[in-house]
Amino acid sequence: MSNDLSPSACSAAPILKERGQHEVFCGLTSIIWLHRKMQDAFFLVVGSRTCAHLLQSAAGVMIFAEPRFATAILEETDLAGMADAHQELERVVSDLLSRRSDIKRLFLVGSCPSEVIKIDLATMAKKLSEKYHPDVNVVNFSGSGIETTFTQGEDACLEAVIRDLPNDEKTQLAVLGALPDVVQDQMMRLLTAMGVDDVLVLPQQTAGTPAGVGKNTHFICAQPFLGAAYDEMIRRGAHAIHAPFPFGANGTTEWLAAIAKRFGVDQSTFDAVTAGPKARATRAIAKVSETLTGRSIFFFPDSQLEVPLARFLSDECGMTLTEVGSPYIHRALVGEDLKVIEHNAVISEGQDVEKQLDRLAECNPDLTVCGLGLANPLEAQGFSTKWAIELVFSPIHFYEQAADLAGLFARPIVRSDLLKVRSAS
Amino acid sequence: MKLSVWTYEGPPHVGAIRVATGMKKVHLVLHAPQGDTYADLLFTMIERRNHRPPVTYTTFQARDLGSDTATLFKEACLEAYNRFKPDLLLVGASCTAELIQDDPGGLAEALGLPVPVVALELPSYQRKENFGADETFYQIVRKLAHPVERSTEITCNLIGPTALGFRHRDDIIEITKLLNELGVQVNVCAPMHASPEDIKNLGRAHFNVLMYPETGETACRHMERTLGLPFTKTIPIGVSATNEFVDEVFTLIDRSNSEGAIDSRLPWYSASVDSTYLTGKRVFIFGDGSHVMAAARIAKEEIGFDVVGVGCYNRELARPVRAMAKELGLDALITEDYLEVEATIADLSPELILGTQMERHIGKRLGIPCAVISAPVHVQDFPARYSPQMGAEGANVIFDTWVHPLVMGLEEHLLTMFREDFEFSDNAGPSHHAAHSPNQEIADHTATVSASDEGTNVIWLSEAEKELRKIPFFVRGKARRNTEKYASDRGVAQISIETLYEAKAHYAR
Ligand code: SF4
Ligand code: SF4
């Protein structure tokens, strides 16, 4: 096996770094998909009414019976003395666990208020883990807006999960990132067909299956926003596999090829497994691309999926890139995608939303990818938009979803071509 | 610390944003971390606004905390002023910034901007969204509105409507029309549609119409004291209330009512034959206090429903809601705990819920129809068509929306006659909503052993169970519950067909 531990370090075009008003959710938002993915886990945010309101607003229409997340809302009395807050939290947790015996993993999720008043959730988690051992494992991570942006909540969660895993020296592949079940199943079929059998997917659906990581673990990220989880894997002695992210026919093939190479899969097996679905995906993308080819696209920073998606849209769908904004650019993760696009787009990191809106007006792109707060105001100004949040909720990875992914971007353009009705105002 | 799954109200700064977004030429600088910008989507997505709320968030990060968040705030303030050139600047802090105590008011004052600055105190750990809106608007009025010369013609102000309000957009139009018919012009509508200049002119009016006590009462009381503006106390939702509102307006302007009753279709629709099927339907009502009180009166007096439970989530109106509940012979449910509301509804198993977006979901799960009467609401509650709640048209809209989720009279009648006919499979639900047939799993569980409230098990004999299934689905849940209660109250361990009909006779209305 070959260990290409560092991404190509030569790619270093200047990145426009911005610091101003951000218009992005905080990491708490990740809970909305994580709690669906991890079916025996409960996410308890220790925060304010704002945090509770953010969760429910971002969850939007998806109100479930009693979701597996909730907020322990801090009140005046909790702010007065620290000892109280810790005791209060113990009481809330005990109430919760006595009502929900199905919970095996409890995440204490830090927020801005809990961090500013320095509630020590890490120690709390340790204490509670001992108290509820072996029934419930209590883990802490931060989803606060002063520490994390949107998808970084999943990153922080995964980092905590990995830190908690025992050492395991067996040779295995670890895939990091929560994927919709249908996508994960497709991925597993492809890997199995290539002969890569020992696969650990993190986060795990349930805590029941034993898992560990160690120095014979080779890992690859399925999501580009897992910088901290990546670092934690490295600390645990695992070896990173670098590749473009598995979006589109080419992205998926290269991602699988990187794994194949590391695990010594021979070329003929690899081709036998991938040729069919690859050809199918390419055909499907070609159809959707008719709408996208030659159109320009602008990304506001949101999910950190921006760089890989821009790679897919320019490389495989023929779109023209203008600005590709991302909250953070981890070269270790997105380096392979970045080197394809960085010479034909402005790459920006961080945000100053007002200035970026000015640049948008100058670029006047055919399609703008942005958050929910900006979408309708931009539509009203005549920009076609795609809500970025849909990209983290929808199945978009691997071959069979490649055309759907392209379709998400094509739909707003198709619509604006279709609509012939004009507004009076 | 309070465990919360879903909340009825956001934090107080969301109330401040509702005021700022409703107004013109106002900008709010909020000291807040980046995640708090989610509030924008409430307005741009749920309310479908085509402009960003006029809010600048400082979006400070952890690394700023050690250094200088105050400077960050000042810079954001200055930039926002230079970019947006508002006539009034509001400054405030969200929950996190409240903890770091940067004093946005003092910092903004020190900048010496050429426009008035209102510093908001929004205690995030004590109060909520409605308070935030009410307080913000009050502070704006206090700062800008001073006595001015009254208008020669008779005018009034409309007070209380905000961005994201439930049907505020259309209520404004309806009430303006009604007032115009009475010979009263609207001087200013605020906060919605008002500029700081308009606020200065509030005193030109002869009186205030308090449309929404939740968001406008403090300002109205202040204007009563300082501008000598009396305000109306009746909320014109429903036919009788609108008539009383008209009377109140006439008293305020010192004229006698020559108009007669308002022209709504509701009275005739309620009196028509089809609506006998509405009579005595058991309804549960929950929402903000003002809308709940109005709804309870309409339900009881204008449609003939049986109100079996009422409550509100805003404690500010707990007292009048309790008093009204008492008159109905009920105990009001005053809570912001969604799970408690759900448990109460499950327990009462009403035939209709009048509630908020939350109760819509409760209803969906329990298989109970629901109509929305109050915030918090969702995107479908900002319809494209004109749909006020207030005035004559409001009463029409209310009749339609409340009756819509129910099986209509003629249809209920047919179902009863033909329920054995396969084409009338009663699981299909009301014929006019194909997609939203109620979920039968809960209302119609097939287990034959049920635990009654007392913990004793009641057994359904199989013929009784079969008979129960012949009862139309929309009353089946209630029939099951009543029968079980009847049985366990009498120590009957097995439910036979006999017991079922005994119980039916016992509960006959
Ligand atoms: S579609 Fe149904 S479940 Fe979804 S928000 Fe609308 S009413 Fe609720
Ligand atoms: S940014 Fe901070 S305070 Fe705001 S919702 Fe997120 S964690 Fe809560």
Side-chain angles (χ1 to χ4, degrees), chain A residues 346-358:
Chain A
V346 173
I347 312 286
S348 63
E349 183 180 19
Q351 186 171 34
D352 184 329
V353 69
E354 305 298 348
K355 286 191 193 139
Q356 198 164 26
L357 284 165
D358 292 346

Side-chain angles (χ1 to χ4, degrees), chain A residues 82-144:
Chain A
M82 278 301 74
D84 284 335
H86 292 133
Q87 272 170 18
E88 280 287 280
L89 185 57
E90 246 190 286
R91 175 183 60 80
V92 167
V93 167
S94 129
D95 285 356
L96 179 73
L97 292 179
S98 63
R99 209 155 37 92
R100 304 282 309 247
S101 54
D102 53 327
I103 297 169
K104 301 279 172 279
R105 290 179 281 180
L106 175 67
F107 290 95
L108 295 183
V109 189
S111 68
C112 307
S114 80
E115 279 162 23
V116 169
I117 64 172
K118 302 200 161 52
I119 298 185
D120 186 355
L121 292 180
T123 307
M124 277 302 285
K126 218 173 273 160
K127 214 169 121 188
L128 289 167
S129 250
E130 278 158 25
K131 179 167 167 191
Y132 293 103
H133 182 82
D135 300 334
V136 187
N137 187 29
V138 186
V139 180
N140 154 248
F141 72 92
S142 167
S144 82

Side-chain angles (χ1 to χ4, degrees), chain B residues 479-495:
Chain B
R480 177 186 284 279
R481 196 182 120 256
N482 283 351
T483 310
E484 285 170 6
K485 180 160 184 353
Y486 178 86
S488 74
D489 284 354
R490 282 159 190 75
V492 177
Q494 298 190 330
I495 294 173

Side-chain angles (χ1 to χ4, degrees), chain A residues 60-63, chain B residues 357 360-361 364 378-380 436:
Chain A
V61 294
M62 294 299 125
I63 295 199
Chain B
Q357 169 68 8
R360 173 187 278 141
H361 287 279
K364 204 170 173 192
H378 214 337
V379 61
Q380 68 269 49
H436 270 71

Side-chain angles (χ1 to χ4, degrees), chain A residues 100-397:
Chain A
R100 304 282 309 247
S101 54
D102 53 327
I103 297 169
K104 301 279 172 279
R105 290 179 281 180
L106 175 67
F107 290 95
L108 295 183
V109 189
S111 68
C112 307
S114 80
E115 279 162 23
V116 169
I117 64 172
K118 302 200 161 52
I119 298 185
D120 186 355
L121 292 180
T123 307
M124 277 302 285
K126 218 173 273 160
K127 214 169 121 188
L128 289 167
S129 250
E130 278 158 25
K131 179 167 167 191
Y132 293 103
H133 182 82
D135 300 334
V136 187
N137 187 29
V138 186
V139 180
N140 154 248
F141 72 92
S142 167
S144 82
I146 54 176
E147 293 281 4
T148 62
T149 300
F150 195 24
T151 47
Q152 281 183 303
E154 176 174 334
D155 188 22
C157 173
L158 217 50
E159 180 194 19
V161 165
I162 294 166
R163 202 183 302 128
D164 237 38
L165 290 178
N167 190 50
D168 190 334
E169 309 235 318
K170 75 171 170 195
T171 301
Q172 61 176 347
L173 172 69
V175 180
L176 308 192
L179 296 170
D181 293 348
V182 52
V183 174
Q184 187 170 325
D185 292 348
Q186 286 171 20
M187 173 188 82
M188 293 305 269
R189 278 198 297 273
L190 288 164
L191 292 172
T192 310
M194 290 185 347
V196 180
D197 295 314
D198 235 323
V199 184
L200 169 65
V201 180
L202 294 172
Q204 293 175 287
Q205 199 132 14
T206 60
T209 22
V213 294
K215 64 179 198 293
N216 293 317
T217 301
H218 297 263
F219 75 96
I220 188 161
C221 295
Q223 301 282 20
F225 42 74
L226 299 173
Y230 176 101
D231 291 344
E232 186 59 30
M233 288 297 278
I234 300 284
R235 262 195 294 279
R236 297 294 302 268
H239 311 286
I241 303 173
H242 297 106
F245 282 86
F247 300 120
N250 298 349
T252 304
T253 305
E254 290 192 43
W255 190 84
L256 290 170
I259 297 171
K261 186 173 165 215
R262 182 70 59 88
F263 282 80
V265 178
D266 61 79
Q267 191 64 37
S268 61
T269 308
F270 183 77
D271 290 344
V273 172
T274 55
K278 185 181 180 191
R280 190 159 59 224
T282 309
R283 273 199 312 275
I285 294 169
K287 238 181 283 165
V288 189
S289 288
E290 285 167 20
T291 310
L292 297 175
T293 304
R295 308 270 192 152
S296 57
I297 186 165
F298 188 109
F299 284 87
F300 277 81
D302 207 72
S303 61
Q304 293 189 51
L305 284 161
E306 296 83 7
V307 168
L309 290 178
R311 199 280 309 152
F312 165 66
L313 291 167
S314 68
D315 183 29
E316 301 190 39
C317 304
M319 291 194 88
T320 309
L321 304 176
T322 57
E323 175 168 340
V324 179
S326 186
Y328 295 96
I329 306 222
H330 292 278
R331 278 192 187 266
L333 273 91
V334 297
E336 298 293 320
D337 287 292
L338 192 59
K339 72 181 181 205
V340 181
I341 64 165
E342 65 191 333
H343 297 292
N344 41 31
V346 173
I347 312 286
S348 63
E349 183 180 19
Q351 186 171 34
D352 184 329
V353 69
E354 305 298 348
K355 286 191 193 139
Q356 198 164 26
L357 284 165
D358 292 346
R359 292 199 298 275
L360 175 78
E362 256 169 58
C363 288
N364 194 22
D366 296 313
L367 186 63
T368 304
V369 184
C370 62
L372 294 173
L374 294 175
N376 264 335
L378 290 176
E379 288 282 349
Q381 290 173 44
F383 292 99
S384 289
T385 62
K386 166 83 228 97
W387 325 332
I389 195 165
E390 201 175 345
L391 301 164
V392 285
F393 289 149
S394 312
I396 58 171
H397 292 70

Side-chain angles (χ1 to χ4, degrees), chain A residues 26 28 48 50-51 54 111-113 143-145, chain B residues 33-36 38 95-96:
Chain A
C26 59
L28 294 185
S48 64
T50 316
C51 308
L54 162 109
S111 68
C112 307
S144 82
Chain B
Q34 62 181 352
D36 293 8
Y38 80 87
C95 53
T96 309

